[in-house]
Amino acid sequence: MFLKCLPFLFLSSLCSAATLSPVLREGSTRFLSRSLGSACYTLDSVQRGLPCNPAAIAKERKPRFDLDLFLGSDIQNIKDSENLLNGHDEEGTVARLLARRDSIDGEISLEASFQSSNWGVSVEPYRLVSITRIENPALPMMDMVIAEEKSVKGQIGSYVYDNFYAGLQLRYTHVKFIGEYFAISEAFAGDKAELFSTRTQELFYVEPGFLYAWENLAWQPQISAMLSQWGVTSEKSDEYPITPQGLLGASVKPLVPLGLFEVGIQFEVNSETKNARDAFRAAFSYQLGILQAVLSVSEYDHSAGFLVGYKHFTGGLTYWSEQERESRAVFIQLGATL
């Protein structure tokens, strides 16, 4: 048995689990992250939870409390991932996860946030992320990341002068995760307890943001900048690295006959950026009555979503697709605002 598994063990020793993308690690409200990507640092017409850029909280005029539930449509995958992460690795659970031959993104989170003028706080007591990717059909290898997070963050922001705002976000995350790259046959032939062993990690981020907003002009142009993912960690891992990234964006709200229309562009630079095209993202938002539609496009992924609001309640869907991994997912958003 050992000789049969030796090639797979050799291959898996050469690779490690994939790093979670900054969009999945940035800690902003999930609907904003999945629907707008990094453009949520620039657009502010979609309001769910705390703003991505802490400087924007200084523009808040009224106190607001948001409660949001965000989950993927593949509930069985999320359930199996949670069982595996908590040590319930029955044959049926493992078999279902490994039987899928397409890339899968699963996510569920519960977040409560309160924001007032100049400050805000949010608590996310539970978030589960499950990402699996199949490579090399001839000798199937699986890249798997399953993570359970608990996090809290606080924001302060202030008007400085002449339409200029500055803010700071402090964020703490505790994560328990499985990150492995292995041959599928190894999962059945080897020691599953060792293969799917969990790790824990503590992360603390300090993230400054800046905003220059001409609120008195017709199109309300604004320029935003932020340094995100800047912090320290209890240990080094491929799945949750400390990789600071700089964000610079601009947006306007063109006048339209009906509703509110916003368009923005975002440049995101980090250690994985190879050229200007990699850094560019465009996003759009259009709100008419109780319906708000959003669209985000970059070199690697695109997403589209909508929110429907009635009185204090909101609901919506987000479709997200990543070209490189040929991964697609639909997410559901349910929320209440008080």
Side-chain angles (χ1 to χ4, degrees):
M1 181 64 70
F2 174 77
L3 293 177
K4 291 181 180 179
C5 295
L6 187 58
F8 306 125
L9 294 172
F10 174 72
L11 285 172
S12 62
S13 67
L14 295 178
C15 305
S16 58
T19 299
L20 290 178
S21 71
V23 170
L24 296 177
R25 291 185 284 112
E26 65 185 1
S28 61
T29 302
R30 303 308 158 195
F31 179 82
L32 298 180
S33 296
R34 286 293 192 174
S35 300
L36 293 174
S38 60
C40 73
Y41 291 92
T42 297
L43 273 67
D44 61 9
S45 60
V46 185
Q47 296 188 1
R48 295 303 315 165
L50 298 184
C52 294
N53 187 336
I57 204 167
K59 296 171 59 180
E60 185 64 35
R61 301 294 185 260
K62 296 180 180 179
R64 191 174 85 239
F65 175 79
D66 288 331
L67 181 64
D68 289 289
L69 173 66
F70 186 77
L71 69 157
S73 56
D74 194 340
I75 302 300
Q76 184 62 58
N77 175 64
I78 295 173
K79 188 176 180 180
D80 287 339
S81 298
E82 183 179 38
N83 288 337
L84 188 61
L85 186 64
N86 292 322
H88 308 305
D89 53 348
E90 294 86 357
E91 290 294 337
T93 298
V94 176
R96 281 191 298 270
L97 284 171
L98 302 184
R100 303 291 292 266
R101 288 297 182 265
D102 52 350
S103 295
I104 305 171
D105 278 60
E107 187 173 358
I108 181 171
S109 69
L110 179 66
E111 182 178 20
S113 63
F114 175 79
Q115 60 177 303
S116 186
S117 178
N118 300 109
W119 68 277
V121 62
S122 94
V123 178
E124 191 173 29
Y126 178 77
R127 180 188 180 217
L128 181 75
V129 179
S130 174
I131 299 175
T132 56
R133 178 175 62 187
I134 298 294
E135 299 178 349
N136 189 11
L139 181 61
M141 304 290 294
M142 175 169 283
D143 197 352
M144 171 186 288
V145 178
I146 299 174
E148 183 180 282
E149 299 177 11
K150 297 178 176 65
S151 64
V152 59
K153 64 183 175 183
Q155 293 183 349
I156 56 172
S158 176
Y159 168 76
V160 181
Y161 70 96
D162 192 23
N163 301 318
F164 179 66
Y165 300 85
L168 182 68
Q169 176 171 274
L170 303 178
R171 180 160 57 96
Y172 165 77
T173 298
H174 168 82
V175 58
K176 178 175 71 172
F177 65 94
I178 297 171
E180 293 291 345
Y181 185 86
F182 57 91
I184 290 181
S185 57
E186 180 188 350
F188 292 105
D191 184 354
K192 293 193 293 295
E194 181 178 351
L195 181 63
F196 299 127
S197 60
T198 62
R199 300 167 60 188
T200 61
Q201 191 173 346
E202 317 288 332
L203 302 108
F204 180 74
Y205 299 97
V206 179
E207 300 169 312
F210 308 94
L211 182 68
Y212 207 96
W214 292 267
E215 297 178 83
N216 56 330
L217 298 183
W219 283 29
Q220 300 179 43
Q222 61 183 23
I223 298 173
S224 66
M226 185 165 176
L227 178 62
S228 71
Q229 308 293 328
W230 187 32
V232 295
T233 178
S234 61
E235 66 175 271
K236 184 179 179 180
S237 74
D238 293 325
E239 293 77 17
Y240 285 86
I242 296 296
T243 54
Q245 61 178 0
L247 300 122
L248 179 65
S251 68
V252 293
K253 298 182 176 70
L255 300 179
V256 293
L258 294 173
L260 174 64
F261 180 58
E262 185 176 23
V263 56
I265 57 172
Q266 182 78 45
F267 290 92
E268 174 185 359
V269 180
N270 54 44
S271 60
E272 298 178 4
T273 305
K274 297 180 176 62
N275 52 58
R277 193 170 60 182
D278 293 345
F280 177 78
R281 179 180 293 273
F284 310 86
S285 169
Y286 178 65
Q287 183 175 8
L288 180 60
I290 65 172
L291 178 65
Q292 185 165 17
V294 296
L295 176 67
S296 172
V297 179
S298 75
E299 175 72 9
Y300 296 106
D301 62 28
H302 60 268
S303 58
F306 71 89
L307 279 174
V308 177
Y310 178 71
K311 294 186 177 179
H312 298 296
F313 302 97
T314 59
L317 289 174
T318 294
Y319 170 80
W320 174 84
S321 175
E322 184 179 348
Q323 290 88 339
E324 182 179 358
R325 295 194 296 128
E326 298 182 353
S327 180
R328 300 171 181 84
V330 176
F331 300 93
I332 303 169
Q333 166 80 22
L334 299 173
T337 299
L338 302 176

